Amino acid sequence: MTPTPRLALALTTATLMLATNLYGAATAHAADDPVDPPGTEASASAPVEVDSNDPDLKIPDGATLAQAKVLDIKSVVEEQSGDERREDTNTSVTLALQAEVLFGKDSSKLGAEAKSRIAGIAEEIKTQNATRVRVFGFTDNLGSSAHGDVLSKKRANAVQDVLVQTLNDSGITYEVRGYGEDYPIADNSTEAGRKKNRRVEVSFPRSEA
């Protein structure tokens, strides 16, 4: 999906991260045993103090350090209204739509504008020649956690169904999950924050071409 003039607010940050492949097997509906979304995994171990005088940390005579490089750069572009959000890294694209753009209140039935929005995401998937697509649903923290889990799964399934119909490509596999109120991207104590957290994210690898 090509950024439009409506994408007015841009925030670009550089981050160092290891690129890992966390795509699962094809599935038609949201899994009942979701794993953590990419980027939310806990660190392998807590930071430790480093003794700069430790002889084991010294470079042997004649050795040199490898050239420094940035492993990944993340660019985040969000519509001024907040209805749509795009994250680009060197390896992947993530497109997030607010639930209000796609669904009625507390509903998983797609609204009038939904199919055109999802069609735009489908075009980006085609542009990137992606064969693995993840569709993740999220809610705010209002209501019970169990209700949020079920609703987010149904919404992710609804978006995936439209992607399948639009792309009509049997070579694409999907991972579809619902996370409910887990992994908020904004403060749930305000309605503006909760609105951002009610979303469906579609992510896929960036083309190497």
Side-chain angles (χ1 to χ4, degrees), residues 32-125:
D32 291 325
D33 55 344
V35 295
D36 293 345
T40 62
E41 304 86 350
S43 299
S45 59
V48 296
E49 292 186 10
V50 177
D51 180 3
S52 59
N53 296 317
D54 190 327
D56 291 333
L57 297 178
K58 294 183 178 180
I59 302 175
D61 292 341
T64 59
L65 291 173
Q67 184 176 1
K69 64 178 180 179
V70 176
L71 297 181
D72 211 352
I73 296 177
K74 179 185 288 187
S75 171
V76 180
V77 180
E78 184 175 292
E79 286 187 0
Q80 194 164 17
S81 64
D83 289 349
E84 188 168 335
R85 187 170 183 264
R86 175 179 178 130
E87 293 185 9
D88 288 274
T89 72
N90 295 341
T91 58
S92 66
V93 178
T94 299
L95 301 168
L97 292 174
Q98 279 188 354
E100 281 82 350
V101 175
L102 302 173
F103 308 99
K105 184 177 180 180
D106 201 32
S107 171
S108 59
K109 183 178 180 179
L110 292 168
E113 187 182 351
K115 288 191 176 181
S116 63
R117 290 277 193 158
I118 299 171
I121 294 177
E123 284 301 314
E124 181 67 18
I125 292 172

Side-chain angles (χ1 to χ4, degrees), residues 6-18:
R6 293 180 299 113
L7 300 173
L9 178 60
L11 170 64
T12 304
T13 58
T15 59
L16 292 177
M17 61 182 73
L18 293 176

